[in-house]
């Protein structure tokens, strides 16, 4: 796309929280990031492709092996 959208994340937060775009700019940073996180998770959870993306994103954040599944698969 030849034009960038500079308030895309703020619009996502506003729509998810049911507040105006101007109210988003009044949020403290912790509330803003929490709402953005929840909005992205909620939005992705609405479709099969989004749920697949969320599962993969969760998998990529894991730092410890799933010893139970490894034991089941390899003995």
């Amino acid at each position: 796309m030849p034009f960038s959208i500079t308030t895309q994340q703020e619009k996502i937060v506003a729509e998810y929280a049911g507040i105006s775009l101007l109210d988003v700019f009044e949020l403290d940073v912790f509330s803003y990031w929490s709402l953005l996180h929840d909005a992205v998770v909620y939005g992705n959870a609405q479709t099969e492709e989004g749920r697949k993306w969320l599962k993969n994103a969760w998998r990529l954040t894991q730092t410890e092996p799933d010893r139970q599944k490894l034991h089941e698969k390899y003995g």
Side-chain angles (χ1 to χ4, degrees):
M1 184 155 99
F3 301 100
S4 63
I5 301 172
T6 59
T7 59
Q8 185 173 5
Q9 291 178 329
E10 289 83 357
K11 181 168 175 37
I12 292 168
V13 169
E15 289 177 354
Y16 177 75
I19 60 178
S20 74
L21 194 56
L22 294 176
D23 289 338
V24 171
F25 291 106
E26 298 297 322
L27 293 171
D28 64 89
V29 67
F30 299 108
S31 296
Y32 172 78
W33 284 110
S34 178
L35 285 168
L36 181 59
H37 168 270
D38 290 353
V40 170
V41 170
Y42 177 80
N44 278 301
Q46 302 306 303
T47 66
E48 184 61 37
E49 183 179 337
R51 288 187 291 273
K52 184 177 177 182
W53 183 88
L54 288 169
K55 287 178 185 177
N56 190 49
W58 177 84
R59 181 185 60 81
L60 292 172
T61 65
Q62 302 310 296
T63 59
E64 296 291 323
D66 186 340
R67 297 184 194 286
Q68 175 74 24
K69 285 192 178 182
L70 288 171
H71 182 68
E72 290 170 6
K73 186 170 184 173
Y74 300 109

